[in-house]
Amino acid sequence: MSSTPPSPRTPAVHRLPLTGVLRLNKPSDVWLKPATSVVVATAIPNMALLALGRLDLAMYTMAGSLCALYGHNLPYAARARALAWVVVGMLASVAVAMVSASLTSSAAVLVAIGALLAAGQKGLCDATRIGPPGHLIFTFISSATLFAPQQLGQVPGHLALTLAAGAVSWIVGMAPALVRPHGPERRATARALNAAAAYVERPEHAPARGAAAAAVHAAWQSLLATGARTEARRALERLVLRAEVAIAAPGDADAGRLRAWAGGLRGAGSVPRPARIAGMDDELLGIEAELAGGKPCLWRRIGPGSPLLPIVLRTFVGCALAGYGSLALGVGRPYWALVTAASIYQANLTLSWNRGIQRVVGNIAGVLVFAAVVPLAHASRLALVLCCLACAFGAEALITRNYWLGSLCVTPMALLVTEFARYQEPGELIGDRVIDTLVGAVLGVVAAIAVTNRRATDGIEQALTASDTAREAAERTLALPAPGHAALETARRGLTAALVELRAAADTAAGEWWQRALPEERVLAAEQSGHRTLAATVRRQAAEAGVAASPSGAGAQQPASPSGAGAQQ
């Protein structure tokens, strides 16, 4: 452990921000993929139900169709497994909701079950790190199903519809592998190169260094999850190594060349081939014996003592308060209040506060969009389906800019789905939705403030211990007269993963409402010493390979350029 003394700052209540919450971000580089996937996965079963005159069953197929939103950043080998588990999780959630709805009509009991489901879904999605949209889709579907009329004998048939639509989602999610089998890895590699270039341009900017290290780590994890080590993957590994070397020696790196390589990864053409570093490219990068920074076991992430448990408890308390608050105000089916509360819970209170504001603004604006769209949607059943598809596409196209912007489409889509069974009075739907949004957001934030997460500081201590251990292991490896490429690679990857986890733990704790004194100076010292050791490790690897530690070092077999010959997709 570092001997740097803890920061003398005493525990304090953090101020919650009011500015910048609604600011728009750059769109995600993959927004089109979930947007088109969910439209295709939803259109196929909905059009089939429309042709059969059973659009009233669309709520059950929607549960499976929305599984198409997951896994778009994962390589296809990992995506196949992840999507299968998402479909299984959706089936389990819907099954519990259907059976509960068929056994009781008590709204109070159903709210309690909905809160328990939401908390469990939040914990499992965070523990497995499934990624956006996280637990929200599961909670939206299961909560709506809880308050839909159901008979026990109908459950098997409705689950079969969900499973069939889930299978369609799996096929849609995997279909791009036929034409661009290395697309996710190419995007992850391009992000690493661009992040490294940003750090090279501003080496004094500590956040840029952390972002670059995280991007490189994510790229390695993506490449290690791809399965067979093809020639295309070897070429991508060489590019990630150049990004890593640039972070280690930014003064020797060429940001323009890094960005050029990243640009060369667009599309499905040849992978750029940079100069080889003898002894590193083919011997080191294919090491599969360890997955540095791989996911720890699920029980350790969600079991006793886990920093996730307070977030799970927040979700349960907030959803229960929101549901009962909505009932107290006379809303017959308060599932939207429950979903609103569930949607705001992020890694810490500050982020949850931001999401609450975004949710309120987006939902209130979204009901106005619904009011404008509903006359068109009521023109015919086909028009209703097409309006839902348009809203689904718009939601995924906009939500990465800011959550409130995506809610402009999510809210009317959710309201239109309720029209599949029968047309309803728009004014009543709008009124209930506004009430539920306000109740869910207010009581959700109240629960987040009431349920503190003081374990976040424990998470920093654990991350500090892990980073110190990884750094010391790397330094021992460096001290060996001839450590060998494999040992250096293992040490480097382990330290990279530990530093990424340390930064994530520090950022999470910094946004909590009431926290013990944070060891900010120790975190800074650990990061600085860790990055120095990382740089020394990369330089030692390059030195043993007989080249300079720069992305354009000697030993080139051919010029590096985005258009150079390389592995074909």
Side-chain angles (χ1 to χ4, degrees):
M1 293 293 291
S2 170
S3 60
T4 306
S7 169
R9 187 171 60 83
T10 57
V13 175
H14 293 273
R15 297 182 62 182
L16 298 177
L18 292 174
T19 59
V21 176
L22 304 181
R23 184 182 298 119
L24 299 184
N25 305 310
K26 292 182 179 180
S28 166
D29 58 353
V30 297
W31 71 266
L32 186 61
K33 301 181 185 302
T36 54
S37 294
V38 74
V39 167
V40 174
T42 303
I44 292 173
N46 279 4
M47 289 300 182
L49 291 175
L50 181 63
L52 295 172
R54 293 304 310 269
L55 200 57
D56 58 303
L57 297 175
M59 184 180 76
Y60 306 109
T61 60
M62 285 291 290
S65 297
L66 291 177
C67 294
L69 292 170
Y70 291 86
H72 289 279
N73 282 322
L74 295 174
Y76 290 107
R79 186 183 303 186
R81 298 187 296 271
L83 279 176
W85 279 112
V86 166
V87 173
V88 169
M90 185 64 76
L91 276 173
S93 298
V94 172
V96 171
M98 287 182 186
V99 171
S100 299
S102 64
L103 294 178
T104 181
S105 59
S106 169
V109 173
L110 293 176
V111 165
I113 295 172
L116 284 171
L117 277 173
Q121 290 156 350
K122 173 65 175 174
L124 286 173
C125 286
D126 283 5
T128 57
R129 299 179 177 177
I130 186 62
H135 69 293
L136 183 55
I137 299 299
F138 294 97
T139 302
F140 166 61
I141 292 294
S142 60
S143 298
T145 305
L146 275 170
F147 291 91
Q150 191 73 224
Q151 296 179 9
L152 197 59
Q154 297 174 319
V155 171
H158 292 165
L159 283 176
L161 289 172
T162 299
L163 179 60
V168 172
S169 292
W170 190 93
I171 294 171
V172 169
M174 296 301 298
L178 298 176
V179 294
R180 199 165 182 253
H182 298 287
E185 303 97 284
R186 289 173 73 117
R187 289 191 297 273
T189 301
R191 292 189 198 104
L193 290 165
N194 283 322
Y199 174 56
V200 167
E201 291 168 343
R202 298 182 63 191
E204 76 287 349
H205 190 53
R209 181 185 63 189
V216 166
H217 177 62
W220 281 124
Q221 293 300 103
S222 179
L223 290 170
L224 289 169
T226 58
R229 190 169 182 243
T230 63
E231 181 58 30
R233 176 178 152 183
R234 290 172 184 265
L236 292 170
E237 288 172 342
R238 296 181 193 117
L239 290 169
V240 178
L241 178 61
R242 295 320 181 276
E244 201 159 33
V245 172
I247 297 171
D252 298 329
D254 183 346
R257 174 161 293 191
L258 292 168
R259 293 193 187 279
W261 285 333
L265 292 172
R266 298 192 185 100
S270 300
V271 176
R273 297 188 70 178
R276 290 179 180 271
I277 299 181
M280 294 180 69
D281 286 337
D282 296 321
E283 294 179 22
L284 292 180
L285 305 179
I287 295 174
E288 307 291 347
E290 49 78 33
L291 287 177
K295 297 175 184 178
C297 93
L298 186 61
W299 179 247
R300 286 179 58 192
R301 287 192 55 80
I302 201 171
S306 167
L308 285 178
L309 286 183
I311 307 299
V312 172
L313 181 59
R314 278 180 183 173
T315 304
F316 172 73
V317 173
C319 290
L321 284 176
Y324 291 127
S326 179
L327 284 177
L329 293 176
V331 178
R333 293 187 296 177
Y335 77 91
W336 193 251
L338 192 152
V339 173
T340 296
S343 71
I344 71 174
Y345 294 117
Q346 305 299 301
N348 56 47
L349 178 62
T350 300
L351 294 177
S352 299
W353 165 264
N354 291 348
R355 180 58 57 86
I357 295 175
Q358 293 162 358
R359 179 85 181 189
V360 170
V361 172
N363 279 12
I364 291 178
V367 297
L368 299 179
V369 174
F370 171 74
V373 168
V374 72
L376 175 61
H378 283 182
S380 69
R381 306 299 280 176
L382 176 60
L384 176 60
V385 171
L386 293 177
C387 286
C388 280
L389 294 178
C391 288
F393 183 87
E396 293 307 309
L398 298 174
I399 203 162
T400 58
R401 302 293 306 274
N402 193 300
Y403 185 82
W404 75 265
L405 197 61
S407 295
L408 289 177
C409 295
V410 172
T411 300
M413 181 187 73
L415 290 171
L416 290 171
V417 168
T418 66
E419 306 264 276
F420 283 156
R422 62 179 178 83
Y423 292 145
Q424 302 182 57
E425 173 57 40
E428 181 180 349
L429 280 177
I430 291 172
D432 285 350
R433 184 54 48 87
V434 171
I435 292 172
D436 280 350
T437 295
L438 295 175
V439 169
V442 171
L443 294 181
V445 171
V446 167
I449 294 173
V451 181
T452 59
N453 184 12
R454 296 176 68 82
R455 289 184 183 175
T457 305
D458 297 336
I460 294 183
E461 294 294 341
Q462 294 169 7
L464 279 168
T465 300
S467 67
D468 285 343
T469 300
R471 176 180 54 77
E472 290 165 2
E475 289 173 350
R476 285 194 301 270
T477 303
L478 285 170
L480 297 175
H485 293 313
L488 286 168
E489 178 76 355
T490 299
R492 178 179 58 80
R493 288 186 184 174
L495 181 53
T496 298
L499 289 173
V500 171
E501 292 291 340
L502 175 59
R503 176 40 47 195
D507 288 344
T508 297
E512 275 303 331
W513 172 249
W514 184 264
Q515 195 60 253
R516 300 194 300 272
L518 301 181
E520 295 169 345
E521 294 178 6
R522 289 172 57 204
V523 170
L524 179 60
E527 288 184 319
Q528 290 174 339
S529 60
H531 282 288
R532 284 195 298 268
T533 303
L534 267 183
T537 304
V538 175
R539 286 194 294 268
R540 178 70 174 272
Q541 288 179 288
E544 292 201 357
V547 296
S550 70
S552 56
Q557 291 188 348
Q558 62 184 43
S561 68
S563 58
Q568 294 292 333
Q569 276 290 1

